[in-house]
Amino acid sequence: MVEKETTDIFHRGGFYLVQPVRQGHRAGVDAMILASCVPNGFAGRLADLGSGAGAVGLAVLSRCPTAQAILVENSSFMLSFAQKTLAHPDNAAFRRRLSILEADVTLTGRARSEAGLVDNSFDFVIMNPPFNSQTDKVSPDSEKVKAHVMYEGLFDAWLRTAAAIVRPQGNIGLIARPFFIAEILAALKGRFGRVRIVPICPRCSQAAIRVIIVATRASRAGLQLMPPLILHEREANAFTPRADDINNGCLSLWDGV
């Protein structure tokens, strides 16, 4: 029998994620690092744009026990896994704090509001937009293409929505490849300030493979290049203690910085 889904344990049993096999997007370390950009003690309302099965939103709720989150996803295929995840019996404690919304992140104006993404209604917005280039090798699976392959103007469209739905002085956080920093900064301009960039490096001797970018709506503070997160010790494959704690929801990205 061909396996079509798995139930994966995150945060050492803190929550469970039902994910597709060989189709769509499967969450892993990137999702846990993105969730860690929300500080410990966050108690507001969070939107996870392009949430997939819900890994990032659940990771925030697992670490921040008084926060609330909404998973926003446009793929009916991935929404079915978010619904299975929320219905999982070991996730019962999250059901009062977590909801699911089917909506297109790129909607604008009244259409966006009518879809449920209301202006100034969130304290933090997190996102993992598709960030594989169209020139990269493309998967034959259409669901993976939607989840992974970017198109021209994508970052501007997603950040336009984030700027509309997050409250003034609220924050946004995203994960991307370093190649797209200039495009992301251009999309943030005029919308967000106090931009903090955290390089994510495989080892201390290697260049960053990802960046976390966090910014504050309507802030006039300048850009900061933060200390990197190093994933592995030297040539070993095991996580560094800090990366392991972040991956398992024991630390935020800002602890010890």
Side-chain angles (χ1 to χ4, degrees):
M1 184 176 178
V2 178
E3 186 180 40
K4 294 186 178 180
E5 64 186 43
T6 60
T7 300
D8 303 304
I9 303 172
F10 287 81
H11 284 191
R12 299 191 178 117
F15 68 95
Y16 292 73
L17 200 70
V18 183
Q19 303 196 83
V21 174
R22 291 183 292 275
Q23 240 187 315
H25 176 70
R26 287 181 61 83
V29 176
D30 276 10
M32 298 303 100
I33 296 173
L34 174 57
S36 76
C37 79
V38 178
N40 285 331
F42 175 75
R45 191 163 183 251
L46 173 127
D48 178 4
L49 302 186
S51 64
V56 182
L58 275 164
V60 173
L61 296 190
S62 172
R63 182 169 48 82
C64 302
T66 58
Q68 298 180 27
I70 183 167
L71 308 178
V72 183
E73 178 57 58
N74 195 38
S75 163
S76 57
F77 177 77
M78 290 308 303
L79 273 170
S80 70
F81 286 93
Q83 290 160 350
K84 290 178 183 180
T85 292
L86 190 55
H88 191 283
D90 290 311
N91 290 335
F94 298 107
R95 289 177 195 151
R96 288 185 297 175
R97 298 192 288 133
L98 184 67
S99 59
I100 299 171
L101 174 67
E102 182 173 5
D104 182 351
V105 173
T106 65
L107 290 173
T108 61
R110 180 179 295 180
R112 180 178 58 225
S113 182
E114 290 176 348
L117 293 170
V118 179
D119 288 359
N120 303 314
S121 58
F122 295 96
D123 302 291
F124 211 116
V125 175
I126 47 178
M127 62 183 78
N128 182 2
F131 54 71
N132 287 343
S133 170
Q134 295 180 35
T135 60
D136 294 338
K137 184 178 179 180
V138 176
S139 170
D141 172 34
S142 62
E143 290 295 334
K144 284 186 178 178
V145 171
K146 283 191 286 186
H148 297 160
V149 180
M150 70 168 299
Y151 55 83
E152 186 176 354
L154 178 144
F155 287 115
D156 188 71
W158 282 55
L159 288 167
R160 178 184 61 224
T161 288
I165 67 175
V166 75
R167 297 185 177 100
Q169 300 306 310
N171 295 294
I172 62 105
L174 63 89
I175 188 167
R177 291 163 64 181
F179 179 81
F180 294 112
I181 288 177
E183 185 174 345
I184 294 167
L185 291 179
L188 290 170
K189 188 175 182 181
R191 295 166 171 158
F192 295 91
R194 199 192 172 213
V195 179
R196 288 169 286 169
I197 302 176
V198 182
I200 311 298
C201 303
R203 293 170 179 82
C204 61
S205 61
Q206 295 177 321
I209 55 172
R210 299 284 188 272
V211 289
I212 293 289
I213 299 179
V214 177
T216 302
R217 183 184 165 197
S219 172
R220 295 184 179 181
L223 183 149
Q224 294 177 291
L225 184 60
M226 307 300 291
L229 171 63
I230 308 298
L231 297 180
H232 306 287
E233 300 278 9
R234 298 181 181 274
E235 298 306 314
N237 290 322
F239 283 121
T240 63
R242 181 171 177 241
D244 189 64
D245 282 344
I246 284 174
N247 189 44
N248 286 293
C250 303
L251 292 177
S252 84
L253 194 59
W254 315 112
D255 292 326
V257 174

